[in-house]
Amino acid sequence: MRKEPRQGRSRATIESILDAAAHILGERGWSGFTTNAVAEIAGVSIGSLYQYFPNKLALIEAVRRRHFDEIMGALRSAADERVPRMKRIEAFVDGVILAHTRYPAAHRVLLEEAPRSADSRESHDEFGLWYVQGCRALLQSAGEAHAAQGDRLHISTQVLASAVAGVVHNAARQGLLSSPGLRLELMTLVESICRNNELTMVPEPGVGSCQAFGERA
Amino acid sequence: MRKEPRQGRSRATIESILDAAAHILGERGWSGFTTNAVAEIAGVSIGSLYQYFPNKLALIEAVRRRHFDEIMGALRSAADERVPRMKRIEAFVDGVILAHTRYPAAHRVLLEEAPRSADSRESHDEFGLWYVQGCRALLQSAGEAHAAQGDRLHISTQVLASAVAGVVHNAARQGLLSSPGLRLELMTLVESICRNNELTMVPEPGVGSCQAFGERA
Amino acid sequence: MRKEPRQGRSRATIESILDAAAHILGERGWSGFTTNAVAEIAGVSIGSLYQYFPNKLALIEAVRRRHFDEIMGALRSAADERVPRMKRIEAFVDGVILAHTRYPAAHRVLLEEAPRSADSRESHDEFGLWYVQGCRALLQSAGEAHAAQGDRLHISTQVLASAVAGVVHNAARQGLLSSPGLRLELMTLVESICRNNELTMVPEPGVGSCQAFGERA
Amino acid sequence: MRKEPRQGRSRATIESILDAAAHILGERGWSGFTTNAVAEIAGVSIGSLYQYFPNKLALIEAVRRRHFDEIMGALRSAADERVPRMKRIEAFVDGVILAHTRYPAAHRVLLEEAPRSADSRESHDEFGLWYVQGCRALLQSAGEAHAAQGDRLHISTQVLASAVAGVVHNAARQGLLSSPGLRLELMTLVESICRNNELTMVPEPGVGSCQAFGERA
DNA sequence: GATGAATGAGCTTTCATTCAT
DNA sequence: CATGAATGAAAGCTCATTCAT
């Protein structure tokens, strides 16, 4: 951000710019996301937009931050180890779904299409990193002592993170976000990944189908 | 395609253009996908490119077709009902992974970012439709007589399709495509979704944890 | 026009663009009429041009309108039925000549070469229609009660319109626009067509040479 | 022309190229006149076209020559001084109309839109010059001893040439070429210009309305 | 502070022309 | 002789960004 808003009206201006940005991102995709369009939808002049955001990337970075803050909230509420596992998963899924209800399509664009700011490129994306870390925490806390580690944990984490993202973003596109069935299916999915993470470590016959593919290598 | 190649060298030209296109799509994303860049990477003049592809959209449509043909091959080999369920899932997962090894990142861009050709816009994307249909077939054949139907099946299908896509595309980005762990985890994921599709229809106590969320509404 | 100018300087920009456009149209013809050339001559950037005119066609349409407004003024001043016929013809010819003095060659290009905007294509060109209507009015008012009608009038109108256009545009090309002889000859031409329109309806021997070709079919 | 055709088939090739060129010129105008399009319509490869015509300009120059030969034929037949004036005008008008019946719209494009070959630019266009000379000859022969000269003749010639061209080309566009009324009106027009050329030299009261504008300057 | 006019690099696409086959 | 694949300059147009008002 170029300068901090000092008065109330500039804070409102910034807010309307961010809303317009999220709206356009979801509605027209990254290729339809132009600063002029954002300014017009926000009802601000293009000059005002550039008074607060030095360039296009800084603008989506701000939008991204808002979105990710919501996601991270969901992950934090799922990280409380005193709560039983199911409840944690439920909190995670509900939080993630909730975070996508305002601008359903925007988040996928943010995560998949929009380029990362230059500096965070190589050290992985900052926000993406946090999200993955949150997923790993969930896996570890879920599996408690039995949780996998190393490569195995890394892969499970990636699978959990990307499966949830894929399902939620697609559901947003299909208008299925508020469907109870989707919520249920998603919880089952998360739970299944969590449980599989434990099981493959201490394979016990008959517990689940997972052992059908029992790790040999 | 604007015209069929008659001489040998033009066939080679077309092939190199498609390769370059897939390469750039994966490397620079949709916004970095410019016809000039494709021509340059392909080592042909921009004019040659336009001799075979009337416009940018026709070009990605051709790339998309190549990619989707591979995916559909995987789905077809998983559709053989005489083969046991596990084998079918294995064939599907292996086929999907294989289809992403040449240009790992390109397919996500193709599916998520790149705009569809104007005519296939409203009737859903033709290729996307086929992919989803293939997933539904897998679910139905997997669940045999017990398979869910209607809304429930619709959601399960979307979840299967988007979870697999999400995981594979992310794995491609992370360089995990060839990891055996990823393959295993993915098969477990698919199997879990398939099994859950049955179970929630005819819930039997003790079979799986899925009933923990047993449908109430 | 894409947007109305709000500040003074933009009005000047638009004016200079239109002037440059008319200039180039006359100097280099339609094939030499490129938006980049117009912008350069106008002394503005190509981006500024496109801020006011959404595309090339909208630009010439604006130039055309300016030109046609002048022509229509000439026709209107020739439509006053209280004025004697000769005076009306004089007003028409003088008006038409005057309308071509600023950018002598531009108008021919506008009328003959430049493509019409897509929407006015089939319903005949709007401006061309007005011009022809004006010519027909002149013929009818000139011939008073004796004026021809139907097919005959249609042809006379087309001949009047195209002969005047042809002569004036050629005179502009040859630098003869300001020659008094041209003005005289043009008036004679118009008067002759008007008179011929009457005579062939009520052929009286000896009145004019026109009956030499007296209509037989 | 790049090389003279030696065999029969190449003569046929050239003929079909010229026909295609005239066709396209009339149908799509100068901006739609592309060498590739001509080759395609002619049913020849683009390479063959360039074997006979070194460039685009040489091609239209050839088309122009064919057209002008027909026009010049009309003018020649109107130049025979032993024939009475009316007959000469009739021959001219009929010849001009006939010359436009094959590719009605092509000739206007040729005369008005298409650029002249570089060398004939400044010394006026060669063909255009011939046409104007023919018109002057008609005027002089028509007016016999009384014909005007100098500036006066120059202007009359330009008016005659441009009026006829304007009317005929417009008639071609409107599909009026074969209308007997058009032929009649055109002859009257030519005759009127011829007669006016004489009359203004030896003004006699009461003969025609032309003296109403009697030259004062 | 806010505005919006101005900028120009860069994109997609066309088409006259050459030359290997 | 004929073919058509290949070329690339140049066109129309967009949009991130600056800066005078």
Side-chain angles (χ1 to χ4, degrees), chain C residues 23-169:
Chain C
H23 177 75
I24 287 186
L25 221 38
E27 221 62 24
R28 314 185 194 171
W30 171 245
S31 70
F33 182 79
T34 72
T35 51
N36 285 294
V38 170
E40 192 184 352
I41 295 293
V44 296
S45 86
I46 183 66
S48 295
L49 189 156
Y50 275 91
Q51 209 142 43
Y52 297 105
F53 303 96
N55 54 49
K56 203 182 177 178
L57 256 64
L59 178 52
I60 44 161
E61 211 66 22
V63 179
R64 217 197 293 267
R65 180 175 299 273
R66 248 189 11 175
H67 269 281
F68 260 93
D69 282 352
E70 298 185 273
I71 301 291
M72 293 317 291
L75 277 169
R76 256 192 305 278
S77 67
D80 188 344
E81 305 233 349
R82 293 161 308 183
V83 174
R85 186 171 73 174
M86 286 307 181
K87 287 288 178 193
R88 285 208 299 267
I89 293 178
E90 198 172 10
F92 174 51
V93 167
D94 284 342
V96 166
I97 289 180
L98 182 66
H100 288 81
T101 45
R102 260 222 301 180
Y103 299 102
H107 199 215
R108 182 193 60 79
V109 176
L110 238 24
L111 190 65
E112 315 263 83
E113 296 188 31
R116 272 82 176 111
S117 62
D119 40 345
S120 71
R121 182 73 58 81
E122 32 185 49
S123 69
H124 287 291
D125 177 46
E126 187 189 9
F127 295 126
L129 211 57
W130 285 352
Y131 170 57
V132 171
Q133 277 174 353
C135 287
R136 188 188 307 121
L138 186 64
L139 272 182
Q140 286 174 310
S141 69
E144 281 150 38
H146 306 303
Q149 290 178 350
D151 257 29
R152 175 88 206 147
L153 175 61
H154 178 227
I155 286 183
S156 290
T157 305
Q158 289 292 337
V159 167
L160 174 58
S162 59
V164 169
V167 169
V168 168
H169 295 155

Side-chain angles (χ1 to χ4, degrees), chain D residues 24-40:
Chain D
I24 288 187
L25 221 38
E27 221 62 24
R28 313 185 195 171
W30 170 246
S31 70
F33 181 79
T34 72
T35 52
N36 285 293
V38 170
E40 193 186 351

Side-chain angles (χ1 to χ4, degrees), chain D residues 134-205:
Chain D
C135 287
R136 188 185 309 121
L138 185 64
L139 271 183
Q140 285 175 311
S141 70
E144 282 150 37
H146 307 302
Q149 289 178 349
D151 256 29
R152 176 86 208 154
L153 175 61
H154 179 228
I155 286 182
S156 290
T157 304
Q158 290 292 336
V159 167
L160 175 59
S162 58
V164 169
V167 170
V168 168
H169 293 155
N170 177 67
R173 241 184 308 190
Q174 309 285 338
L176 297 173
L177 262 194
S178 55
S179 150
L182 188 273
R183 175 177 177 270
L184 207 59
E185 193 90 51
L186 199 50
M187 283 195 287
T188 313
L189 192 75
V190 174
E191 199 265 336
S192 146
I193 295 175
C194 288
R195 198 155 41 81
N196 187 56
N197 187 53
E198 300 176 53
L199 291 175
T200 51
M201 292 310 290
V202 194
E204 293 172 43

Side-chain angles (χ1 to χ4, degrees), chain B residues 2 33-36 46-47 50 54-56:
Chain B
R2 216 167 217 171
F33 181 79
T34 73
T35 51
N36 284 296
I46 182 66
Y50 275 91
N55 53 50
K56 202 181 177 181

